[in-house]
Amino acid sequence: MCGRYAMTLPHEAMVQLFDAVASNDLPDGPRWNVCPTTQVPVVTDGGGARRLRPMRWGFLPHWYATPTAGPLLINARAETIARKPAFRAACRERRCLIPATGFYEWTRDADGTGLPWYFRPSTEAPLAFAGIWQDWGPDAVATCAIVTCAAGPDVAMIHHREPVTLAPEDWPLWLEEVGTGAARLMRAAPPGRFDRYRVDRAVNSNRVEGPELVDPPIDEE
């Protein structure tokens, strides 16, 4: 799964990177500890121009009476996304890109305490997670989820799932700007896409923020 990530690009950099028009209500950044249910920047196809807009990270199916009426859907599994009632329409019609500069996964020590690992691109290029989105409720609250797949070699030693990350040449297909066959994009990253290292346990708290969260710990365990 992907349950926490970092997004440290300025709005202007995201606009340039994705060739998008920015909404004026984007969430403040940078963020080194993006948590579920918060507002995150998302790229959608705007019918001729891409839009960079805020969405709630936590997909809400239309039948939820309240945001807490069912499970918190922050991820959608690539293997079942086209069949699950919650996701199948969005998978066909409402795909998006979720910008990130890195993400976290956890192992556990002998006492069961979570040990966080930070994954970042092996190059300087930011990440674009494959996502889906949907408006929910009478106020059309925009919500999104990150598509995940079985982990590739860079992530598998730490966790069995990873977020689907898309190369720039694949963005038009995922956003339905060109062609068909986006399902083939839902796969693990090739070897060497990510660097990883242990970080401080402070990131285990969803109330902690700051660039020190992605610093390697002084004492490796």
Side-chain angles (χ1 to χ4, degrees):
M1 65 176 293
C2 180
R4 211 78 68 80
Y5 69 95
M7 177 60 250
T8 61
L9 287 178
H11 297 163
E12 296 80 5
M14 285 187 280
V15 165
Q16 183 174 5
L17 177 65
F18 294 100
D19 190 22
V21 177
S23 299
N24 58 12
D25 56 349
L26 290 169
D28 293 335
R31 296 286 305 280
W32 285 270
N33 192 8
V34 179
C35 301
T37 75
T38 60
Q39 293 287 304
V40 298
V42 172
V43 178
T44 62
D45 173 44
R50 293 175 185 170
R51 294 181 58 197
L52 181 66
R53 49 187 295 208
M55 292 191 186
R56 176 192 189 267
W57 182 24
F59 190 95
L60 294 174
H62 65 83
W63 60 81
Y64 277 23
T66 69
T68 57
L72 179 59
L73 304 176
I74 60 171
N75 295 156
R77 294 174 67 95
E79 298 88 344
T80 58
I81 190 172
R83 303 193 305 272
K84 290 284 187 179
F87 301 136
R88 61 192 178 198
C91 181
R92 291 193 307 268
E93 304 165 5
R94 293 182 299 278
R95 299 193 293 268
C96 61
L97 303 173
I98 301 176
T101 45
F103 62 95
Y104 301 92
E105 292 294 356
W106 278 259
T107 54
R108 296 197 175 275
D109 64 13
D111 297 326
T113 301
L115 303 177
W117 294 76
Y118 186 60
F119 290 81
R120 65 183 181 188
S122 55
T123 66
E124 294 298 319
L127 300 171
F129 296 149
I132 56 173
W133 69 277
Q134 175 163 289
D135 288 337
W136 173 84
D139 296 326
V141 176
T143 71
C144 66
I146 295 170
V147 181
T148 67
C149 63
D154 288 351
V155 180
M157 291 183 63
I158 305 301
H159 198 272
H160 66 286
R161 306 288 295 178
E162 70 175 72
V164 173
T165 53
L166 302 175
E169 59 268 25
D170 294 326
W171 297 348
L173 179 57
W174 185 255
L175 291 176
E176 304 173 83
E177 296 169 342
V178 299
T180 58
R184 66 176 177 80
L185 302 177
M186 293 188 287
R187 59 182 185 273
R193 171 73 63 83
F194 306 123
D195 293 331
R196 71 171 185 264
Y197 54 88
R198 274 265 291 113
V199 292
D200 194 272
R201 294 178 184 177
V203 77
N204 291 0
S205 170
N206 61 11
R207 296 185 296 273
V208 177
E209 261 292 350
E212 65 278 3
L213 293 180
V214 298
D215 291 338
I218 295 174
D219 297 316
E220 290 286 351
E221 299 185 17

